[in-house]
Amino acid sequence: MSQKNGFDLNDPVGNLRKARDATLDAWAKAMIDLVNTETFARWVGATLDSYLIASAPLQTLIDTSMKTSLARLNMPSRDELTTLARRITNIEMRLDDLDVKVDQLGHALRAQTPVLVEMLAEQMEQNKQEDIELNGMESRLALLDHKTDQMLRLIERLQAPPEPPEPPQKRRKAPRQVPPPEPPTPEEAKEDHAIEGF
Amino acid sequence: MTTSPETTPFPFDPATVARNLYAEVERIGKAYDAGVKIASGKTTAKVAQTPKEAIWALNKTILYRYYPQAPVEKRKRVPLLLVFALINKPYIFDLRPGGSFIEFMVQQGYDVYLVDWGAPGPEDSHLTFDDYALEYLPRAIRRMQAYCGQHDFSMLGWCIGATLAAVYAAMRPDDGLRNLILLTAPIDFSNKGAMGPFPKWLKDDYFNIDAILQQTGNYPGEMIDVGSKLLKPVENLVGNYLRLLDNLDDPKIVESWQAMNTWVSDGVPFAGAAYRQLVVDLYRENRLMNGTWMMRGRPVNLGDIKASLLNIIARQDHIVPPCQSETILDRVSSADKQQIIMPGGHIGIMAGSGARRGLWPQIDAWLGDRSV
C-alpha cells in the first residue's frame, strides 16, 4: 500500500509539501487568533509608543540641525516649502475654477451664436438703408451749400461801394528799433552794486 | 524497468519515488532561473498597461481617461468613473493585460475614467475626507462631464474609495450620478466583534493617533502595509512566498504573483487628517452610519443617496468584513438597489484570476442596462 493517511509514499516531496501546508495552516489559524486578542492590540500600541518616545528626541535634533544648516546655506526649510506647496495648490484650485468659467462662457457663447448672427445681419441691413438715406441727404446739402455761396457773392457785389482812385505810393516806414536802455535810477544802481558779489 | 510495492520489501515503489524525485529536481532546475531573476529584481511586472491619457490634474490627483477600444455602435453613453482607496495605488483596477478590470470594461464599450489620488506629501497632511469627497472628486467629475459631454455618469468605488463615493452620492445627489457601485465598502463600523482585529488595534487606549501624526505628518505607507499583513501574518509573510516557490516553473503564475506583489509593496502614505478621521470618526465613533459625520458644516446623510445602487460584498473579506458593507442598503433612498455577495477576498474578488469570469461580467450586466 503506497497510500497512508492521505500521503502518497511514492511521492516524498509531495508529502513534505502536504506536511508543510498542514503545519502552516495550523500556524496561520493560531496567529490569526493571536492578533485578534486584546493582549496583541496592547502590545502593538506599546511598541508604537516606545518607538515614538525613542525616535522623538532624535527627530527633533535632526529637524533643528537641518533647519540651521539650510538657513546658513540660504536655502528654504521643509516648512517653508510646505507652505509654498500649499499656496501653489490653492492657486491651482483657482485656475481650475477659472478654467471651468472660461469653458462655461465658451459654451454660453456657442449656444448664443445663431441668435447673435441673426441680430448682426439685421443690424447690417438697417445700416445699409440708413447709408442710402444719408448719401441722398448729403448731396442735397451740398447743392444747397453751393447755392448759398452764390447768393452771398451776389449780395456782397451789390453792397460794395464804388472803388476809389488808387492813391500815390507811400514811403515805406523804417523798421522799429529797440530803444536804448534808460540809465538806472540811483536806487537801482545801489542795489546792483549790492548783489554784484554773488 | 518498473517494480511494484508487492515485489519490493518497501511500502513504496522505489522506481516511482526516483521518478518523482527526478521530476522535482527538473522543476527546481527550471525554476532556478526565474527565482534568481525575481530575487535579484531583474524582472519587473508590467502593470497598468491599458492605454490612457491624463485629462486633468490638481495637486497630486490625476484624472485619467482610457482610450475607447470597442466599435462605435457598441459604446455606452454614460461614462464610468473609478475611485480607489487612499491606500495603495489605483492600478489594481488595471493590474496586467488579461487581468485588468479596466481593459475588460473598455472592451465592453464603457467610457472609463480613473481618479488617481497620488502620493500625499508633507504639504498634504491637512487633507481630510471632506477635501477628497467634496473638493477633489467633484472637480474631477466636473472635468469628466465637460470632457465627454455627458451630465449623467456612473461611479464605482472600491474600499475607502467606496466610502468616498458614498459620501459624494449623499452630499451631491443631483450632480448627475446615475449609477453607484460600492465594492467592499467600509460604511458601518458598529459590529466591532465581527470586524476582525482593526477595531481592537485602533482603540483609543492603545493607539495614540495624534502622537503618531505629530511625528509623521501623514500616516506612512509602510505602517499601513505592516498593519494589513499582520491581519494574516503567516499567509502574508510566509505562505505567499512558498506559493511562489512551488510555482516558479510556471511563468503565468510567476507573472501574476509579481504583478500583485508589485502592487502590494507600492504603498502610499495616507493623508494625516484623513487618517485621523478614519480612525476616530469611523472606526471608533461610527459617525457615517449614525448620520453624525459632519462635512463642511453638513451631516452626511446616507438617506440622501438616490442613484441606482449595486453593493458588492466579498464573503471572505478580512479587511472589510461583510458586516461593514451590507447594512447600507437599508439606509439609502435609491429605488433601484441590489446587493451581491461574491466568494473571495478583499482584493482577489476584483483582481484575482477568477474575476474575469466571476465579478466583472456581473458588474457589466448590471451597469450595461443602466448606461444607455
Side-chain angles (χ1 to χ4, degrees):
Chain A
M1 286 293 286
S2 63
Q3 293 277 339
K4 258 187 189 172
N5 301 326
F7 286 93
D8 182 358
L9 297 177
N10 288 327
D11 184 11
V13 179
N15 290 341
L16 279 174
R17 271 205 196 101
K18 276 179 193 164
R20 180 200 72 188
D21 289 345
T23 315
L24 271 182
D25 276 352
W27 190 22
K29 276 173 196 156
M31 286 301 284
I32 288 172
D33 289 342
L34 174 74
V35 298
N36 207 359
T37 58
E38 287 288 334
T39 316
F40 186 80
R42 200 177 300 122
W43 174 79
V44 170
T47 311
L48 265 175
D49 282 347
S50 0
Y51 165 75
L52 291 174
I53 290 166
S55 64
L58 185 69
Q59 198 180 346
T60 314
L61 186 73
I62 292 171
D63 284 352
T64 316
S65 58
M66 190 58 82
K67 259 185 198 167
T68 317
S69 313
L70 287 171
R72 278 191 189 145
L73 290 166
N74 209 13
M75 286 175 77
S77 69
R78 189 192 182 98
D79 288 347
E80 285 165 339
L81 284 176
T82 301
T83 311
L84 194 66
R86 282 184 184 167
R87 288 179 68 185
I88 289 171
T89 305
N90 284 337
I91 293 167
E92 265 189 291
M93 283 196 175
R94 289 194 179 187
L95 279 175
D96 189 51
D97 287 337
L98 278 176
D99 193 27
V100 170
K101 277 180 187 160
V102 169
D103 272 358
Q104 283 171 346
L105 276 174
H107 282 304
L109 206 63
R110 271 196 291 278
Q112 291 293 321
T113 303
V115 182
L116 283 172
V117 167
E118 202 176 311
M119 280 170 66
L120 207 65
E122 268 177 29
Q123 190 65 44
M124 279 169 75
E125 186 61 33
Q126 204 179 332
N127 287 353
K128 214 170 164 184
Q129 287 295 329
E130 282 171 0
D131 273 359
I132 294 166
E133 281 170 20
L134 276 172
N135 286 343
M137 279 171 76
E138 265 178 14
S139 55
R140 271 191 270 171
L141 272 172
L143 193 66
L144 212 61
D145 198 29
H146 180 66
K147 283 181 180 170
T148 315
D149 280 352
Q150 279 180 334
M151 282 170 72
L152 277 171
R153 271 198 293 276
L154 272 171
I155 291 166
E156 273 172 8
R157 208 175 291 166
L158 287 172
Q159 284 181 345
E163 282 181 12
E166 207 171 304
Q169 206 166 4
K170 283 182 182 171
R171 278 174 64 193
R172 285 183 77 183
K173 261 186 176 175
R176 255 177 95 184
Q177 299 286 318
V178 177
E182 286 178 21
T185 59
E187 290 81 21
E188 283 171 342
K190 202 172 169 185
E191 202 178 324
D192 284 350
H193 183 69
I195 60 171
E196 225 169 34
F198 288 96
Chain B
M1 189 184 85
T2 56
T3 53
S4 67
E6 285 78 23
T7 58
T8 65
F10 312 111
F12 51 82
D13 176 15
T16 314
V17 170
R19 246 197 326 274
N20 284 339
L21 282 173
Y22 180 74
E24 183 62 19
V25 171
E26 208 172 29
R27 194 192 73 79
I28 291 172
K30 273 188 202 167
Y32 177 78
D33 203 29
V36 169
K37 276 182 185 163
I38 292 172
S40 61
K42 276 189 180 165
T43 54
T44 49
K46 283 183 180 170
V47 293
Q49 297 288 297
T50 309
K52 62 180 184 289
E53 63 176 330
I55 60 164
W56 174 88
L58 179 64
N59 195 3
K60 314 293 184 312
T61 305
I62 299 173
L63 177 66
Y64 290 106
R65 192 237 177 179
Y66 288 84
Y67 296 129
Q69 291 174 11
V72 178
E73 66 276 5
K74 207 185 156 191
R75 288 184 198 165
K76 312 280 194 294
R77 187 181 65 81
V78 179
L80 169 65
L81 178 68
L82 305 176
V83 183
F84 191 61
L86 303 170
I87 297 167
N88 282 71
K89 291 184 179 169
Y91 63 76
I92 188 69
F93 276 119
D94 184 25
L95 196 58
R96 62 198 170 86
S100 157
F101 174 69
I102 287 175
E103 182 192 56
F104 174 81
M105 293 303 270
V106 168
Q107 284 167 357
Q108 303 310 309
Y110 292 92
D111 189 10
V112 180
Y113 296 79
L114 170 76
V115 176
D116 181 350
W117 300 116
E123 67 277 11
D124 302 313
S125 60
H126 65 294
L127 291 181
T128 57
F129 273 80
D130 313 31
D131 294 310
Y132 286 114
L134 302 179
E135 192 73 63
Y136 285 72
L137 196 52
R139 283 168 187 274
I141 288 167
R142 190 169 67 180
R143 183 67 198 138
M144 179 188 72
Q145 287 169 325
Y147 191 87
C148 66
Q150 297 290 335
H151 182 250
D152 287 3
F153 67 96
S154 307
M155 181 156 56
L156 186 155
W158 187 358
C159 188
I160 290 168
T163 311
L164 290 170
V167 168
Y168 175 88
M171 299 295 270
R172 289 174 166 253
D174 302 316
D175 278 5
L177 179 62
R178 191 162 146 188
N179 307 305
L180 175 64
I181 301 173
L182 301 178
L183 185 60
T184 63
I187 302 280
D188 185 355
F189 295 79
S190 60
N191 191 355
K192 294 197 167 32
M195 276 168 59
F198 276 147
K200 289 190 187 77
W201 297 355
L202 299 175
K203 264 186 183 172
D204 196 17
D205 303 340
Y206 313 135
F207 191 74
N208 191 346
I209 180 70
D210 291 318
I212 294 170
L213 294 179
Q214 200 180 354
Q215 270 202 34
T216 58
N218 293 320
Y219 195 72
E222 295 80 9
M223 284 170 91
I224 295 169
D225 186 35
V226 169
S228 306
K229 282 181 175 160
L230 277 181
L231 288 174
K232 285 187 174 179
V234 177
E235 276 186 41
N236 290 322
L237 302 170
V238 184
N240 260 346
Y241 297 94
L242 287 179
R243 259 197 298 281
L244 173 69
L245 206 65
D246 289 346
N247 295 289
L248 269 174
D249 56 327
D250 185 338
K252 222 173 169 184
I253 294 181
V254 170
E255 194 189 324
S256 164
W257 186 93
Q258 257 197 311
M260 187 58 87
N261 191 54
T262 303
W263 178 77
V264 169
S265 322
D266 201 4
V268 291
F270 203 119
Y275 191 73
R276 195 182 184 286
Q277 281 180 305
L278 177 69
V279 171
V280 178
D281 295 353
L282 296 180
Y283 268 100
R284 289 180 190 164
E285 296 173 5
N286 193 24
R287 282 174 178 247
L288 179 56
M289 208 58 184
N290 293 340
T292 53
W293 206 18
M294 300 297 286
M295 286 207 180
R296 306 267 156 108
R298 280 173 58 207
V300 184
N301 182 10
L302 293 173
D304 290 339
I305 296 179
K306 296 189 296 192
S308 297
L309 173 67
L310 175 65
N311 191 33
I312 302 165
I313 294 170
R315 192 178 289 133
Q316 284 86 29
D317 195 338
H318 65 292
I319 296 173
V320 181
C323 66
Q324 286 193 261
S325 313
E326 58 199 7
T327 44
I328 189 175
L329 230 64
D330 303 330
R331 293 294 176 96
V332 297
S333 308
S334 313
D336 172 21
K337 52 188 173 183
Q338 193 185 335
Q339 182 160 284
I340 51 174
I341 301 177
M342 298 292 294
H346 189 68
I347 300 299
I349 188 181
M350 192 69 164
S353 52
R356 178 171 275 275
R357 290 180 314 280
L359 182 58
W360 301 351
Q362 294 218 36
I363 293 176
D364 174 39
W366 185 84
L367 196 58
D369 297 339
R370 293 163 177 83
S371 297
V372 286

